[in-house]
Every structure is written in C-alpha cells, then in structure tokens.
Amino acid sequence: MSPTAPQAAPDLSALVLPRRAALVGAGLCALAGTGLAAVGDGRLTLGSGPTRTQATRRAADPGGFSRVRTSAPVVALTFDDGPDPAYTPTVLDLLARAGAQATFFCVGTNVEAHPAIVERIVREGHLLANHTHDHAPLESILGREVERQVRDGRSALVEVAGLRAGSVQGARFLRPPRGFTTPNVARIAGRLDERGAYWSLCLEANGAGDDRSTGARVGALLDPGDVLLAHDGGHVSGRWGQVYDRSTTVAALPYVLETLAARGLRSVRLDQLVRSGRPV
Ligand SMILES: [Zn+2]
C-alpha cells in the first residue's frame, strides 16, 4: 500500500504500533496519533488523545458506539471512503460470493460521481451510511459547516439511492472521518438524526506481511459484536481530497471472509448488528 497523498498529517512520533501497522494504518484508521497505548492488534484502548480511543469517543458522543455486546455469532464489516470504481465492485463480488452483508460509509462526492455503484450496493442488500459530503474533518470545522457536511452527505445518499427514513435503508449512521468527533459534532449529528458509528478493529492497521496472513489475522481477531473498519474508497476529491491504494485491502478480504466462516461467524449490516445486542 502506498498512499500518495495522505490525509491530514498525523503525528507518528508517539505510535507504539508495529512498524507495518503504523505505516498502513496511518491516516486510515485514526490510530495514528498520540494517546495510544498497547494497540498492537489495532483495537482502540484508553489513551489521552481526543476521540482517538473508544473512551474519548464515548465521552464526546455518548449515543455513538464502536461495537455491540451480543451473544449472536455476528460481526459487521464496514467499508469507508467509497464508492470507488477501482475497488468497490470487487468488494461487492467478494461479499456476494461469501454470502456476507456489509455497511458502506460513503463520501457524498463519490456517491454523486458513481451512482450506479451506490445502486448496486443497495440492490445487493448492503447498508449505506454517511461519511460526510467531502470527508471533512468534523472536529476542526465550524458548526454550520459540520451541519452542512452531515446533511449533504445524507442528501447525496437519499438522492442517488432513493432512501427514505424508516425504510430498511433508513438506518442513519454517521462515521466522522478518522473517527474524530467532539461533543458539538455529536450534538449536531443527533439533531440531524444521525448516530455515531465507530469501530473496534481496523483491517489496514493489522497488516501481517501478505494478504492471506493479513486476512487470516483479522478474521481471527474479530469476536462476536465487533465492527471492522476497512476501506473500499481510494479517491476523495476536493478540499480534503486524498488518494490511497486500497488493493491490499481488497486482496486480504477473501481471507477475512474465509476465516470468519471457518469460525462460524458471519458479517451482517450494522443495523442488524445493533439489533442483535447492546451497542457500546
Ligand atoms: Zn474516511
């Protein structure tokens, strides 16, 4: 993986992640930053960085969740930053072959640019969710811009996919870029009826040398109720644009799915995961 235009330069100096995890995860999973301690498998743990951990996210966004306490043998695979014609169709093919369902946190500009892929996501039973209109850093912009990013990100989904609140596609989850939020962002999102949805494990932070090993490692680390963050989108345009090579993510995915199946776990949509237990 060789990001050519990494998003907002993270401070890597305090990372305790293994080298590959740090490099691969930097800017992808919001694990790159200060305040992390003992996150060798990419799980979020207690730390001092603002909303870089489950604890700080929970404090800023008490209505949000990172995983679900459940006894059901289910996890939720989630894909951010798409749709992207370079990767999303392959991800959809792999999910279909495995009989797995997933959630796609789409960037509004990509939704508008690739409506046919969005329609395919819906047609194949996956859940669409909001990742802002421009992949804006919600934690560092003005409140009225936060509101616009959340509202326009949702509007893009509604206009392209014909979503309606209350329909099966009406579950309203918002994942702030990099998982960075604030009490004010959470308040604004809540007013717009969007629930903060974070993650408990990141695929890209768990590189294990080759695609098969990475996929097997991630599949083995996922426990019932976990939410996996992965990325199907390599391109975001505009003010907060970024370009990443997501080919290793796509290449590892079959082994994630294979390992989950071997362990008797299946991937469901985030709304289904939430209904299976208690979001925390
Ligand atoms: Zn993102």
Side-chain angles (χ1 to χ4, degrees), residues 7 27-28 80-81 105 107 131 135 175-178 229 231 236 242 246:
Q7 57 199 42
L28 301 177
D80 283 16
D81 298 353
F105 284 89
V107 175
H131 198 41
H135 209 256
R175 177 171 288 159
R178 285 167 234 108
L229 166 64
H231 294 78
V236 173
Q242 61 183 35
R246 306 299 194 193

Side-chain angles (χ1 to χ4, degrees), residues 15 56 61-62 97 102 111 126 129 158 175 181 262 268:
L15 277 179
T56 52
D61 183 5
R97 193 184 308 162
V111 168
H126 307 292
V158 171
R175 177 171 288 159
T181 190
V268 297

Side-chain angles (χ1 to χ4, degrees), residues 1 17 20-32 36 39-44 52 54 57 66 76-81 175 178 198-208 214-215 217-219 221-222 226-231 246 249 252 256:
M1 181 171 293
L17 293 169
R20 179 175 167 82
L23 289 173
V24 174
L28 301 177
C29 304
L31 294 175
L36 291 172
V39 287
D41 66 358
R43 285 175 190 277
L44 302 170
R52 288 185 170 96
Q54 287 185 359
R57 283 174 189 168
S66 301
L77 304 188
T78 68
F79 296 91
D80 283 16
D81 298 353
R175 177 171 288 159
R178 285 167 234 108
Y198 305 94
W199 61 90
S200 51
L201 192 76
C202 174
L203 190 155
E204 288 90 357
N206 280 281
T214 298
R217 171 180 164 81
V218 169
L221 285 170
L222 286 167
D226 268 330
V227 177
L228 179 70
L229 166 64
H231 294 78
R246 306 299 194 193
T249 300
V256 175

